Amino acid sequence: MSSSLGTSLTHYLIEEQQKHAGATGEFTLLMNDIVSACKVISSYVNKGNLIGILGSAETENVQGETQKKLDVISNDVFTHTLMRGGQVAALASEEMDEVHNLPDHFVRGKYMVVYDPLDGSSNIDVNVTVGTIFSVLRAPEGVKDPSEADFLQPGTAQVAAGYCIYGPSTIMVLTTGQGVNGFTLDKDVGEFMLTHPNITIPEDTKEFAINMSNQRFWDAPVQRYIDECLKGKEGPRARDFNMRWVASMVAEVHRILTRGGIFMYPIDSKIRDKGGKLRLMYEANPMAMIVEQAGGLAITGPERIMSIKPSKLHQRVPVILGSKNEVQIVWDYHTKG
Ligand code: AHG
Ligand code: MN
Ligand code: MN
C-alpha cells in the first residue's frame, strides 16, 4: 500500500512477498543485503578522492584487466555483505577468478548471486557514471558449496536481476520477472524510493550506442545496420539517427529504459577469439532480463542472450539490446541476411 509518503524499496519487496503464498521472506532479506551493499558502494563512489580511492589498484583480474581501487573495494563490499546475510550458498563476480564459497561456519541460503561490482570502471577517474550489476540464481538443493558448474544456468533461470546506477542520482532498477521498477536513493533518509514504476522501453528509437572505433572489425550484419543508420533521411531507414557512447553499460541501459535506444557491443574480428567483450553471467544476462521485462529484446546477433547455456563463469558474448523494433532489424540481418 503506498501513500503520499511514497513507496520504499523495503515496503515494495514486502508487498511483493505478500502476493506470493508460501514466500518465506528469504528473497526480501537477500535484496536488503544487496541494497545495503549498493548504498555503501554509492557512498564510496561519491567520496572519490576525498578518501583517496580513485586510480588503479595495480592488480589484474581473471580477464587480464587492470583493476581500479574502486573495483576491488566494491567487490569486497558486495561479497562481504552478502556472505554474512545467510541467504546465499555461493557468490561469483567479475573481480574473483573462481566461485566464492562461504567459510564453513557461515549459514547458507537458497540463492547464488553473480555480479559486476563496478561496471564502467574506466569512467570512475573522470567522474562519469558507473554502476553495479547483479543476477540472482537459485542454488542447487543439498549442495553445501556450489561449484562453477552450478552457476552455469541460462539467463531464463534467473530469479531476479538488477543494477544500481551511481549517476547524478543513485537509482536501483530491479526485475523479479514481473516487470521492471526503479527506486531512487534518498540520501538524507537512506531509503530507495519507488520513482520509476513499470518501466517500458519505447519500441522505436532513433538513437544507437556502439563504439565506432571498432567499425572496421565488425561483421557484415552490423556494418549494414550502422551504415543504414548513418545514411539517415537519405538512406533506406528514411530518418536521421543520433549516437551515444558512455562506455558504462549501466548508463547505456538506463538511458534505453528511460527513452529507448539500441546498445551494441557486437562480435568483431579483434575479439572473436574471446567470444565478445561483455560477460554473459554478470553483464549480458541480467541486462537482458531487465530489457526483455521492459518490453525490449536482447540478442547476440543470431540468438537470444537468455537462451545461451553458459560454458564458463567468465564467458564473454556479443550484446545487442534495446528497443524492440530496432533490435529485431539487427536480428533479421543476422538470421535472414
Ligand atoms: P567493466 O568496467 O565492468 O569492465 O565493464 C566495461 C564494459 C561496459 O560497461 C562498456 O559498455 C564497455 O566495457 C566499454 O568498452 P570500450 O571501452 O571498448 O568502449
Ligand atoms: Mn562491466
Ligand atoms: Mn566491472
Side-chain angles (χ1 to χ4, degrees):
M1 194 171 68
S2 61
S3 70
S4 57
L5 289 174
T7 302
S8 68
L9 178 50
T10 310
H11 282 162
Y12 166 85
L13 290 166
I14 291 169
E15 284 162 17
E16 287 300 303
Q17 180 189 319
Q18 286 164 351
K19 285 183 202 162
H20 295 94
T24 58
E26 289 160 283
F27 179 75
T28 303
L29 290 173
L30 172 69
M31 275 310 303
N32 281 342
D33 277 343
I34 292 176
V35 163
S36 299
C38 290
K39 282 185 200 167
V40 175
I41 297 170
S42 173
S43 165
Y44 277 122
V45 166
N46 283 167
K47 288 196 178 82
N49 249 5
L50 287 174
I51 52 171
I53 55 172
L54 298 189
S56 170
E58 275 151 33
T59 47
E60 267 192 10
N61 66 13
V62 68
Q63 346 251 341
E65 296 163 345
T66 305
Q67 293 173 305
K68 299 277 182 185
K69 287 181 196 164
L70 265 168
D71 283 321
V72 177
I73 293 169
S74 305
N75 186 59
D76 284 351
V77 168
F78 211 88
T79 306
H80 286 274
T81 306
L82 264 65
M83 66 192 259
R84 293 174 65 183
Q87 306 311 322
V88 298
L91 298 165
S93 153
E94 177 187 351
E95 307 302 344
M96 298 190 285
D97 301 5
E98 320 240 324
V99 166
H100 185 85
N101 291 118
L102 308 190
D104 257 1
H105 61 284
F106 275 43
V107 173
R108 272 101 173 127
K110 65 180 181 195
Y111 297 108
M112 303 191 295
V113 183
V114 53
Y115 41 98
D116 176 352
L118 204 64
D119 174 63
S121 56
S122 73
N123 279 325
I124 191 69
D125 294 344
V126 289
N127 202 26
V128 168
T129 297
V130 291
T132 300
I133 309 171
F134 58 90
S135 162
V136 180
L137 301 170
R138 221 171 275 288
E141 275 179 46
V143 178
K144 186 177 176 210
D145 289 319
S147 65
E148 175 167 350
D150 295 316
F151 275 85
L152 303 181
Q153 305 176 23
T156 47
Q158 292 173 103
V159 175
Y163 64 78
C164 189
I165 180 168
Y166 314 115
S169 305
T170 290
I171 303 178
M172 176 75 75
V173 171
L174 176 68
T175 181
T176 55
Q178 268 123 21
V180 182
N181 290 287
F183 304 82
T184 304
L185 180 60
D186 182 336
K187 288 194 174 159
D188 296 335
V189 179
E191 283 267 29
F192 280 95
M193 303 300 295
L194 180 60
T195 46
H196 299 70
N198 303 318
I199 298 172
T200 51
I201 300 174
E203 290 188 355
D204 293 296
T205 182
K206 293 179 179 178
E207 203 163 61
F208 66 86
I210 194 164
N211 185 334
M212 284 295 295
S213 71
N214 295 322
Q215 183 173 23
R216 68 188 188 283
F217 305 111
W218 299 334
D219 287 348
V222 172
Q223 294 281 6
R224 176 182 172 193
Y225 174 75
I226 295 296
D227 185 55
E228 290 177 357
C229 291
L230 292 174
K231 287 201 166 87
K233 272 202 182 100
E234 291 74 33
R237 302 301 307 279
R239 62 180 197 259
D240 290 336
F241 281 76
N242 200 354
M243 196 197 92
R244 291 286 182 275
W245 187 250
V246 186
S248 282
M249 190 196 199
V250 161
E252 322 276 6
V253 170
H254 196 71
R255 184 185 61 250
I256 289 170
L257 289 179
T258 308
R259 66 179 190 212
I262 179 167
F263 166 87
M264 311 172 82
Y265 214 118
I267 196 68
D268 70 43
S269 57
K270 204 157 45 102
I271 54 174
R272 201 177 308 281
D273 293 352
K274 292 180 175 176
K277 158 92 184 186
L278 298 170
R279 279 59 55 108
L280 174 60
M281 301 224 50
Y282 40 84
E283 291 177 320
N285 266 343
M287 290 313 202
M289 182 174 181
I290 293 167
V291 164
E292 285 197 11
Q293 283 292 318
L297 291 176
I299 60 170
T300 60
E303 61 187 331
R304 182 185 178 213
I305 286 173
M306 287 210 291
S307 299
I308 298 171
K309 171 80 179 91
S311 57
K312 56 180 193 213
L313 192 57
H314 298 287
Q315 182 177 350
R316 295 176 189 258
V317 287
V319 174
I320 297 161
L321 57 76
S323 292
K324 196 177 186 172
N325 293 339
E326 222 50 38
V327 177
Q328 188 64 57
I329 292 172
V330 185
W331 205 346
D332 289 346
Y333 287 180
H334 280 89
T335 51
K336 297 179 189 161

